[in-house]
Amino acid sequence: MGRRLHGRGALFDTDPAGLAPRLVGLRPHQHRAHQVEHAQELPFVVLTGGRGLGKSAVLVELRDAYQGHTPVALIDCEDAQFAAPPSGRPAEAWSPVAQALLVIAEQLAEPVTGAGRIQFPRLMSGLVAVAAGGWGDADSERIRREVERILLLNESGSWIAHFAGRWAGRVAANVVAAATGTGALVSSAIEATLESISDSFVHRRHQKAATWWRDHPNAGGNARRGLMLLSGHFRAEGSSREHAERYLVRALLADLAEAYAGMLPRMQRLGRPLVLLDNSQTAPGPGLTDAVLRDRADGIADRVAFIAALRGDSRPALRNAVRRTLPEVARRSEWAPDPAAWSSRALLVSLPRLGPDDTLHLVGAACAGTPAPARLPPATHRLTGGNPLGITLLAEAAAQHLPGAASLGELLVADVRLHAERDRTPAYLELLDRLVPAEHLDELTVLAAAHDHDSACALAAALLPDDFGPADIRSLQTRLRQEGLPAVPGRFVGDPFVRTLLLLRLHHRDPDHTQWRTAHETLVEHYAPTCDETDAPARARCRLHHQLALGTTDPAVDHLRDTFPTLDTRTWLRSLRFIASAPYFHAHDDQGRDFDGQDDRRAAVALGGTDAATRPPDGVDPALHLRIRRLLHAVWQLTDPLALPDPTVCHRLRFELEQLSNLRPAGNALLWRASRDWPEDALAGRPLRIPDDDEDGEA
């Protein structure tokens, strides 16, 4: 793979062939044919997943792999050119789908190895008819610009290309004269276009394409009437416009089929055309996708390989699509559509996160020649959860700041420069800019500390504008699910990596960390004891979690010490793990000011360095109290996603859990196994496992 994409071999492999060569019929980066998997009907492939999983990178790699070898087009549906009509063009004569078809055809038209340009007379005629609907008060120069760009879709690029260019100019002049004359504007423009195509020597081979619109519904065998109906439906908007856009998509595909028809074109063109749609959840993505799928369901076949990238897991319109993971399509997709469901023509392929080995290779490549801690790759993998964007950007930050930075937290707050022409920006802000919706960044920064809807409401009341209420919170939860972020019980923001970045932003929003402290103080109060004892244990864990985030450790130590003899051992370990998952962003004094050097004092406590200066409360076992205190700080440090796990602390964690296992005969086996598993998990960059527990690490 030209871009060294990791973990995506199921798409690009050549021996045995991955999904892309089986769809396109060509080996990536080669003009060598490969047997296609779906000879009669192709699936419309949709790569799904949240932000940062590398969907855009995959599409760019696919374009680079096939460009020049087979017709290929790539558009980003979030590009500004699809958001609104260009200056001077009325909305009634423009849509994201029509603009996308023009851009796609322009790219597909380019010559490839062994074959010349593809011409698009059907699509060209339709786009002129659509554009003519907006020329009512346009000046002749604007009409000329619009017409000439559309007409170039029919340029052959052959040895008589200069005649083709002059032909486009003549047709444009004819259309401008007709559109600015005294007759019916749209009708005159369409008539001039059709006449110019029919009379042209350059395009005599494609004269039959000019009559394709005769078969438009209700055209009565008259191409001019068919294009007039198309223009009228387009201007009507709503379902009528969707009908017109569907015929424009069909015209594009018919022109591509014409380019591959006959013996000589089939010999010259080895691979299928490839159309790539990035961010297809945004217009024009849904319109293009639905038009292709519905036509295929209606038996209108095409031979174009479509691969789209979709943020999230699906769209409601694709509820019947076939679903696979990327590893499942590595050798065969086993795709077969349901004749009763048009959306089953889509094949949704979820992109997985990268594995530890991929992280190791990415960090190693970025830090080549730079001394890097051996624990950096597994810690990076634990923090990012295998998010390719996160790994890549952290690796770049490490390359720019090692050996000076001592932790992932320091790498995230350090400025990085990703492009020579851009200013340096803190790494965590670069990541948030790409991983969360920009319009909700401020709200998510506050709500990242919440556990559920009620705690989110408490935070919103304390730190967000008055007009941001419970309904907005529910809408934001829905948006997060649509974005592909996981829903995790006990966490408002389910993705641990995104949540960590948001909390880091909350901590750095003001110099004295006022909002940080206000957020956690609000939640401490929210989870204060109530008369209802049924949820008291869960409320206590959340309250202690946020007190620990504020640097108040005694209540957590007291709770864990007092419940150790009586609480079920498995439940006690879960409580310890959850309470110690509190975010930690170095020590502060009583006024919230940073200590010099951003000192992390947890290791010193975990290793017993502060035992002599600590006085346990009266009436408790001092040895147990100090042991629990050391254990809490050890787990707090070792599970911190922003810190590199300390092997010495891991050794101490093992010892403390071993000693505790001697004090609980009933829970001896669980505590002893945790003493083996937890240090190993911490050093390997894995969440701490509760022995024989299927839970994912949350309380």
Side-chain angles (χ1 to χ4, degrees):
M1 287 172 275
R3 290 166 55 91
R4 302 302 303 158
L5 295 180
H6 290 263
R8 304 298 183 244
L11 280 170
F12 295 97
D13 285 346
T14 57
D15 191 17
L19 180 61
R22 300 199 312 270
L23 289 176
V24 178
L26 279 180
R27 294 172 179 262
H29 299 285
Q30 302 176 37
H31 194 61
R32 293 178 58 192
H34 189 282
Q35 183 177 358
V36 295
E37 178 180 358
H38 302 283
Q40 299 304 316
E41 182 178 0
L42 291 81
F44 190 114
V45 176
V46 182
L47 306 177
T48 66
R51 297 176 187 246
L53 288 185
K55 301 183 296 299
S56 298
V58 164
L59 296 188
V60 170
E61 174 67 15
L62 283 167
R63 180 197 62 191
D64 294 347
Y66 289 107
Q67 198 164 40
H69 303 304
T70 196
V72 60
L74 167 62
I75 65 167
D76 182 353
C77 296
E78 288 190 340
D79 195 289
Q81 66 176 316
F82 305 120
S87 178
R89 187 163 181 179
E92 67 182 25
W94 181 92
S95 76
V97 169
Q99 179 68 17
L101 290 171
L102 174 60
V103 175
I104 288 170
E106 288 174 336
Q107 296 181 47
L108 292 173
E110 293 301 316
V112 298
T113 302
R117 288 177 60 87
I118 294 177
Q119 297 162 272
F120 294 91
R122 298 166 178 83
L123 178 63
M124 180 204 69
S125 304
L127 291 178
V128 169
V130 165
W135 290 341
D137 56 356
D139 60 88
S140 59
E141 184 55 35
R142 198 199 102 198
I143 297 175
R144 185 183 304 278
R145 288 197 308 270
E146 292 181 9
V147 171
E148 286 188 344
R149 181 177 180 184
I150 297 172
L151 293 177
L152 287 176
L153 295 180
N154 219 33
E155 185 177 318
S156 67
S158 65
W159 60 275
I160 50 174
H162 62 287
F163 289 112
R166 292 195 324 203
W167 168 84
R170 288 198 305 272
V171 175
N174 293 342
V175 173
V176 170
T180 56
T182 58
L185 185 148
V186 177
S187 177
S188 299
I190 291 172
E191 193 69 43
T193 303
L194 291 174
E195 288 179 359
S196 298
I197 294 174
S198 299
D199 294 342
S200 170
F201 168 77
V202 174
H203 295 276
R204 193 175 303 280
R205 180 176 176 271
H206 294 288
Q207 286 183 14
K208 64 179 181 179
T211 64
W212 183 78
W213 290 98
R214 291 176 179 174
D215 295 329
H216 193 76
N218 298 320
N222 185 302
R224 174 182 168 279
R225 177 166 173 76
L227 289 167
M228 286 289 294
L229 289 168
L230 175 80
S231 182
H233 289 151
F234 193 93
R235 292 195 304 276
E237 300 186 349
S239 59
S240 294
R241 172 170 288 187
E242 292 175 4
H243 176 83
E245 289 174 339
R246 185 172 170 185
Y247 271 86
L248 289 173
V249 174
R250 192 177 296 176
L252 170 83
L253 299 179
D255 285 329
L256 287 171
E258 175 76 20
Y260 279 73
M263 182 62 69
L264 183 59
R266 284 201 298 270
M267 294 175 61
Q268 292 176 323
R269 299 189 181 277
L270 299 184
R272 289 165 165 166
L274 177 62
V275 176
L276 307 167
L277 309 176
D278 200 5
N279 290 304
S280 66
Q281 72 281 348
T282 304
L288 293 170
T289 303
D290 293 358
V292 175
L293 293 177
R294 289 180 183 277
D295 269 9
R296 289 179 176 180
D298 288 345
I300 302 174
D302 65 82
R303 293 294 180 267
V304 180
F306 284 91
I307 301 180
L310 177 70
R311 187 180 304 147
D313 297 322
S314 184
R315 290 173 43 225
L318 297 178
R319 62 175 59 91
N320 293 313
V322 178
R323 294 177 178 272
R324 298 284 186 270
T325 63
L326 184 58
E328 289 175 335
V329 300
R331 300 297 171 253
R332 289 192 62 81
S333 67
E334 301 297 339
W335 169 83
D338 178 359
W342 62 267
S343 64
S344 68
R345 265 71 188 175
L347 172 63
L348 271 55
V349 180
S350 58
L351 288 186
R353 293 172 177 269
L354 301 185
D357 288 347
D358 298 315
T359 305
L360 176 67
H361 297 317
L362 283 168
V363 174
C367 297
T370 302
R375 288 168 286 133
L376 180 62
T380 299
H381 188 75
R382 178 182 67 177
L383 169 63
T384 63
N387 183 287
L389 173 64
I391 296 169
T392 302
L393 202 146
L394 268 168
E396 182 59 33
Q400 294 182 27
H401 292 284
L402 289 178
S407 70
L408 291 174
E410 291 183 33
L411 289 177
L412 283 172
V413 299
D415 290 342
V416 293
R417 174 171 288 158
L418 302 180
H419 306 286
E421 64 276 9
R422 291 182 57 183
D423 294 335
R424 299 175 71 89
T425 308
Y428 77 94
L429 293 180
E430 283 279 358
L431 285 165
L432 286 173
D433 184 55
R434 306 188 201 183
L435 291 176
V436 302
E439 67 273 21
H440 296 301
L441 177 58
D442 288 341
E443 293 89 347
L444 287 171
T445 298
V446 170
L447 300 180
H451 301 278
D452 53 20
H453 177 77
D454 290 343
S455 57
C457 288
L459 285 173
L463 288 168
L464 293 177
D466 293 340
D467 59 354
F468 190 86
D472 302 288
I473 291 172
R474 294 193 187 280
S475 295
L476 188 52
Q477 286 179 300
T478 301
R479 174 67 183 275
L480 293 178
R481 290 193 295 270
Q482 292 172 344
E483 290 277 330
L485 292 176
V488 176
R491 300 292 189 186
F492 185 86
V493 177
D495 187 280
F497 180 40
V498 175
R499 183 172 67 248
T500 298
L501 295 173
L502 290 167
L503 290 173
L504 187 59
R505 183 174 185 262
L506 177 64
H507 187 264
H508 285 279
R509 290 188 82 175
D510 37 50
D512 59 355
H513 315 298
T514 299
Q515 293 189 61
W516 166 267
R517 287 186 284 113
T518 300
H520 290 287
E521 288 167 355
T522 298
L523 293 176
V524 169
E525 181 179 355
H526 175 74
Y527 288 109
T530 65
C531 297
D532 184 2
E533 294 296 323
T534 58
D535 62 346
R539 295 180 66 86
R541 287 195 297 270
C542 289
R543 182 172 67 255
L544 296 168
H545 173 95
H546 293 287
Q547 288 176 325
L548 198 59
L550 291 167
T552 304
T553 62
D554 289 345
V557 174
D558 294 344
H559 173 83
L560 292 167
R561 180 201 65 223
D562 294 341
T563 56
F564 175 72
T566 58
L567 201 61
D568 172 75
T569 302
R570 192 181 307 277
T571 303
W572 187 85
L573 285 171
R574 290 179 193 157
S575 297
L576 168 62
R577 185 180 62 182
F578 177 75
I579 294 169
S581 69
Y584 178 93
F585 296 109
H586 61 262
H588 308 98
D589 63 17
D590 292 339
Q591 284 73 46
R593 294 177 301 224
D594 297 344
F595 282 119
D596 292 340
Q598 299 189 0
D599 184 31
D600 185 344
R601 300 182 174 184
R602 293 172 297 181
V605 177
L607 297 174
T610 63
D611 282 2
T614 303
R615 180 177 177 178
D618 295 337
V620 303
D621 181 348
L624 178 62
H625 179 88
L626 292 175
R627 191 174 306 285
I628 296 295
R629 184 170 179 266
R630 292 191 296 267
L631 178 63
L632 173 66
H633 283 78
V635 177
W636 196 11
Q637 195 273 342
L638 293 173
T639 58
D640 185 350
L642 300 180
L644 297 182
D646 187 332
T648 306
V649 176
C650 283
H651 182 76
R652 189 59 182 245
L653 172 65
R654 174 172 177 161
F655 174 77
E656 300 294 356
L657 286 170
E658 279 183 349
Q659 296 305 305
L660 284 178
S661 72
N662 294 327
L663 302 179
R664 284 289 305 271
N668 174 275
L670 281 175
L671 289 165
W672 189 87
R673 286 184 60 186
S675 74
R676 267 55 187 168
D677 292 344
W678 282 17
E680 179 183 322
D681 290 341
L683 288 175
R686 296 190 297 262
L688 303 189
R689 297 166 291 173
I690 305 293
D692 300 324
D693 197 339
D694 293 332
E695 293 191 5
D696 61 3
E698 301 295 348

